[in-house]
């Protein structure tokens, strides 16, 4: 089954002069999205359990994951790494926005 | 399980993680377009504009402003974050669409509604659709990942939901609602029977025409098959009859003088100038005498303050919208008179959002004059105004 492409065609623009800054900013934002999702999930988990009279924090500290659970966690970490590194892996490079770049003029004009 | 924010028969189930990621990207876009853009404006006013004045340089055009800001940190930060946010819009919806691919393609279309779908497998797709990934959307509108695929429609519907951060209304149909109700209320004697929407995508802004004019027959065309398949299934599930047809708007298969209204939204600025001119001539041809061409678009450069023009044209510089700046530079009245419309029959309006303000407030706003400022044509919770222009055919 073909998947929906996660990368668009064409190069990214480089806004910051130093190489990689735009890409790292993109990594950070993607990472932040993931952290945000996790925080929200944990928040909801705590509320759900609280409503059932369970106190999660102490139970988490005492818990040992088994082998299957550890594998599940490892797969999740790999997915996270792929997401965070999306702009660095298989990227097609950047396009400069120097003063003389034609992209400053509309493509349709030229 | 929860679904997209707007329920319809093609909505896909979203996990809590999907929803959390989508909510994050919506918040990020809202932040960039308000806080960061305000910071950029402030930096421009307090530093860049002043420095240039001191050096006797006048920033008269959007390009002047653009150049003056290229090295400014707030401009780089705004542009870089906005680009990432745009990429993330598509990224955070694709997992859920991929997961639901089979179920989406296999969902039976509701047949208790009289809408239709007519595809033309021989239609040649224009370069503005196939040549690049417009506004950074991987696969754009037309990509098919399996035979008779409609997933590009699902990606579009879901991505607009994230992209708009609520600013297109709960059912993503505010633009269509606003422009349709403008015609209904400002021209209460006008009773259209045949309405056409061009470049309809999944029909977000087509459906409100059927609601505003329940006696009319509504037809919607687009060149891309997946979005039409999805749009048809979505409209049927909502019980709103629309005839979706795969057709090039710059070369329509309709007879002369068939429609009372020819509508489009966010369409003209995605056309190459030649196709735009051909489309407007076609619109004139298929309109009945006494009918109206009416389209939601970006406000023209000649009506907007210069900083707003620079700010709006960011998309043409950096967001894969190559025709957008050229489009805005034109005199819209002249565009329409070149297509056959009488200059005196030109109409335009800047309108509050119908589904946000409600019928009564919308009606009373119609008597006011047009306002072109930082709320016009922008997505802003403080009170966006949509810009519409068109012409009556004699
Ligand atoms: C930005 S979208 C329009 C959004 C839609 N009108 C709405 O309000 O939700 C542009 C659409 O125009 C379509 N399109 C581009 N060129 C076209 C042409 N020559 N004829 C018909 N449709 C075209 C694209 O496939 C795409 O679906």
């Amino acid at each position: 089954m073909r998947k929906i492409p996660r990368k668009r065609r064409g190069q990214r623009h480089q806004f910051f002069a130093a190489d990689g800054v735009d890409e790292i900013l993109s990594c950070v934002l993607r990472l932040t999205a993931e952290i945000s999702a996790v925080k929200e999930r944990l928040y909801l988990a705590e509320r759900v359990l609280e409503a059932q009279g369970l106190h999660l924090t102490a139970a988490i500290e005492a818990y040992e994951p088994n082998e299957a659970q550890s594998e599940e966690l490892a797969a999740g970490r790999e997915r996270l790494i792929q997401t965070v590194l999306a702009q660095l892996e298989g990227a097609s490079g950047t396009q400069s926005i120097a003063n003389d770049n034609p992209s400053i003029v509309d493509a349709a004009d030229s | 399980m929860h679904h997209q924010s707007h329920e319809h028969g093609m909505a896909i189930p979203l996990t809590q993680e999907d929803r959390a990621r989508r909510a994050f990207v919506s918040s990020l876009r809202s932040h960039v377009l308000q806080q960061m853009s305000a910071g950029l404006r402030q930096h421009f006013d307090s530093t860049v504009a002043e420095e240039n004045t001191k050096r006797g340089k006048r920033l008269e055009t959007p390009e002047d402003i653009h150049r003056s800001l290229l090295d400014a940190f707030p401009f780089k930060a705004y542009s870089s974050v906005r680009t990432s946010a745009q990429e993330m819009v598509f990224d955070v919806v694709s997992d859920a669409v991929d997961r639901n691919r089979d179920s989406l393609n296999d969902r039976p279309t509701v047949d208790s509604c009289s809408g239709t779908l007519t595809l033309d497998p021989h239609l040649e797709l224009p370069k503005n659709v196939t040549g690049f990934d417009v506004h950074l959307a991987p696969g754009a509108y037309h990509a098919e990942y399996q035979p008779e695929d409609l997933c590009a429609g699902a990606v579009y519907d879901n991505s607009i939901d994230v992209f708009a951060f609520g600013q297109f209304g709960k059912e993503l149909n505010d633009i269509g609602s606003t422009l349709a109700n403008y015609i209904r209320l400002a021209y209460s004697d006008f009773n259209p029977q045949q309405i056409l929407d061009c470049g309809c995508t999944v029909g977000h802004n087509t459906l409100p025409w059927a609601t505003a004019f329940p006696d009319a027959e509504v037809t919607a065309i687009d060149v891309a098959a997946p979005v039409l398949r999805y749009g048809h299934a979505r409209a049927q599930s909502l019980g709103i009859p629309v005839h979706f047809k795969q057709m090039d708007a710059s070369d329509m298969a309709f007879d002369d003088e068939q429609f009372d209204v020819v509508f489009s939204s966010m369409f003209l600025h995605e056309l190459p100038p030649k196709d735009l001119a051909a489309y407007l001539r076609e619109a004139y041809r298929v309109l009945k005498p006494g009918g109206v061409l009416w389209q939601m678009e970006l406000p023209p450069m000649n009506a907007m303050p210069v900083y707003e023009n620079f700010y709006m044209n960011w998309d043409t510089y950096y967001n894969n919208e190559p025709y957008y700046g050229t489009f805005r530079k034109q005199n819209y009245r002249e565009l329409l008179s070149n297509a056959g419309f009488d200059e005196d029959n030109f109409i335009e309006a800047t309108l509050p959002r119908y589904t946000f303000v409600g019928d009564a407030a919308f009606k009373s706003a119609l008597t006011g004059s047009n306002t072109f400022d930082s709320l016009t044509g922008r997505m802003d919770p403080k009170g966006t105004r949509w810009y519409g222009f068109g012409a009556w055919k004699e």
Side-chain angles (χ1 to χ4, degrees):
Chain A
M1 192 173 82
R2 268 181 69 202
K3 283 181 112 191
I4 295 161
R6 297 304 196 270
K7 265 201 179 69
R8 58 171 158 107
R9 289 175 284 170
Q11 297 185 326
R12 299 186 94 230
H13 287 283
Q14 179 172 339
F15 295 102
F16 290 101
D19 255 11
V21 172
D22 292 286
E23 286 75 7
I24 287 171
L25 185 51
S26 162
C27 296
V28 170
L29 290 168
R30 283 161 187 266
L31 183 59
T32 314
E34 295 307 304
I35 291 175
S36 170
V38 173
K39 283 180 76 170
E40 290 191 5
R41 192 173 186 86
L42 193 56
Y43 174 87
L44 293 175
E46 284 171 357
R47 299 294 81 74
V48 167
L49 289 175
E50 215 170 77
Q52 297 178 9
L54 280 172
H55 298 286
L56 185 61
T57 318
I60 285 178
E61 293 301 329
Y63 192 84
E64 289 273 354
N66 65 27
E67 204 169 307
Q69 289 166 342
S70 296
E71 276 170 27
E72 212 174 311
L73 290 173
R77 286 196 297 273
E78 173 57 22
R79 192 201 163 280
L80 181 58
I81 290 167
Q82 279 178 18
T83 304
V84 173
L85 295 185
Q87 282 318 327
L88 301 183
E89 295 183 317
S92 50
T94 55
Q95 187 178 332
S96 142
I97 58 157
N99 279 304
D100 57 354
N101 189 292
S103 72
I104 208 165
V105 179
D106 304 332
D109 277 357
S110 49
Chain B
M1 200 182 276
H2 292 261
H3 288 76
Q4 285 157 237
S5 56
H6 168 218
E7 283 290 343
H8 51 72
M10 297 306 283
I12 52 177
L14 301 176
T15 63
Q16 185 271 327
E17 276 199 344
D18 289 328
R19 285 181 283 132
R21 289 195 187 102
R22 290 162 65 131
F24 177 83
V25 177
S26 285
S27 297
L28 179 62
R29 267 188 50 77
S30 169
H31 182 87
V32 178
L33 295 184
Q34 288 163 85
Q35 276 81 352
M36 286 188 92
S37 88
L40 177 59
R41 176 73 208 242
Q42 205 195 351
H43 175 80
F44 175 75
D45 287 341
S46 65
T47 314
V48 181
E50 214 166 274
E51 263 173 31
N52 279 276
T53 314
K54 254 191 241 147
R55 283 193 274 133
K57 244 170 99 185
R58 301 243 300 270
L59 302 176
E60 283 165 342
T61 67
E63 287 77 17
D64 290 343
I65 295 182
H66 185 197
R67 264 184 222 102
S68 77
L69 282 171
L70 281 177
D71 282 330
F73 189 85
F75 176 74
K76 296 178 188 182
Y78 168 87
S79 300
S80 197
V81 175
R82 192 168 161 196
T83 299
S84 288
Q86 182 77 10
E87 292 166 345
M88 290 168 82
V89 163
F90 302 103
D91 207 50
V92 293
V93 304
S94 298
D95 280 355
V97 177
D98 266 336
R99 250 188 356 251
N100 289 282
R101 171 99 55 87
D102 291 337
S103 89
L104 269 173
N105 277 316
D106 294 345
R107 255 178 231 189
T109 301
V110 173
D111 59 9
S112 54
C113 178
S114 61
T116 59
L117 171 68
T118 314
L119 298 179
D120 173 5
H122 303 297
L123 184 74
E124 200 183 317
L125 298 186
K127 284 282 183 302
N128 59 305
V129 170
T130 59
F132 53 93
D133 286 344
V134 66
H135 43 61
L136 314 189
Y141 308 105
H142 66 294
E144 298 188 19
Y145 307 103
Q146 64 188 63
E148 299 185 29
D149 193 10
L150 48 67
C151 281
V155 170
Y156 181 84
D157 188 21
N158 281 270
S159 66
I160 288 289
D161 199 17
V162 176
F163 173 87
F165 56 97
Q167 302 310 308
F168 284 172
K170 288 197 183 68
E171 299 177 14
L172 305 176
N173 65 357
D174 187 76
I175 291 170
S177 303
T178 298
L179 271 82
N181 283 295
Y182 176 77
I183 296 292
R184 181 176 67 85
L185 295 167
Y187 303 96
S188 49
D189 295 341
F190 183 55
N191 182 24
Q193 297 299 305
Q194 293 288 338
I195 296 171
L196 174 66
D197 181 9
C198 295
C200 62
T201 318
V202 300
H204 284 152
N205 292 307
T206 314
L207 305 193
W209 286 90
T211 310
F213 298 102
D215 297 334
E217 190 168 48
V218 178
T219 304
I221 65 169
D222 200 286
V223 285
V227 295
L228 290 169
R229 292 187 186 105
Y230 182 92
H232 169 63
R234 178 178 175 273
Q236 290 292 103
S237 79
L238 292 167
I240 302 177
V242 169
H243 301 293
F244 287 93
K245 294 185 198 303
Q246 189 177 15
M247 203 185 282
D248 192 324
S250 60
D251 182 18
M252 296 191 222
F254 298 118
D255 292 338
D256 295 358
E257 305 186 354
Q258 209 178 314
F259 294 98
D260 302 286
V261 175
V262 174
F263 166 73
S264 73
S265 83
M266 302 182 281
F267 174 54
L268 310 185
H269 72 257
E270 289 194 9
L271 294 176
K274 217 170 85 251
D275 293 6
L276 171 61
Y279 160 66
L280 293 171
R281 283 194 304 272
E282 280 291 85
Y284 184 82
R285 178 181 70 77
V286 302
L287 268 177
K288 293 179 196 167
V292 70
L293 172 70
W294 184 229
Q295 28 215 5
M296 178 275 183
E297 257 307 338
L298 300 155
M301 284 180 54
N302 58 23
M304 293 286 281
V306 61
Y307 185 89
E308 297 307 320
N309 283 331
F310 147 72
Y311 182 80
M312 254 183 193
N313 287 357
W314 186 92
D315 289 80
T316 207
Y317 307 136
Y318 302 117
N319 204 28
N320 260 10
E321 291 272 13
Y323 312 114
Y324 179 123
T326 312
F327 170 69
R328 295 194 58 231
K329 265 186 209 153
Q330 303 181 73
N331 178 325
Y332 293 177
R333 188 187 293 261
E334 219 170 271
L335 262 183
L336 300 194
S337 66
N338 291 341
F341 295 90
D342 192 308
E343 281 212 15
D344 297 335
N345 295 328
F346 181 80
I347 53 172
E348 67 179 344
T350 59
L351 301 166
R353 291 177 293 185
Y354 185 81
T355 69
F356 289 69
V357 302
D359 199 76
F362 185 79
K363 217 166 168 173
S364 58
L366 295 185
T367 48
S369 55
N370 292 332
T371 310
F372 293 93
D373 64 12
S374 66
L375 293 177
T376 311
R378 287 246 294 255
M379 294 163 65
D380 194 318
K382 286 193 293 295
T384 295
R385 273 181 226 99
W386 302 129
Y387 174 72
F389 80 99
W392 292 88
K393 178 175 174 178
E394 265 174 28

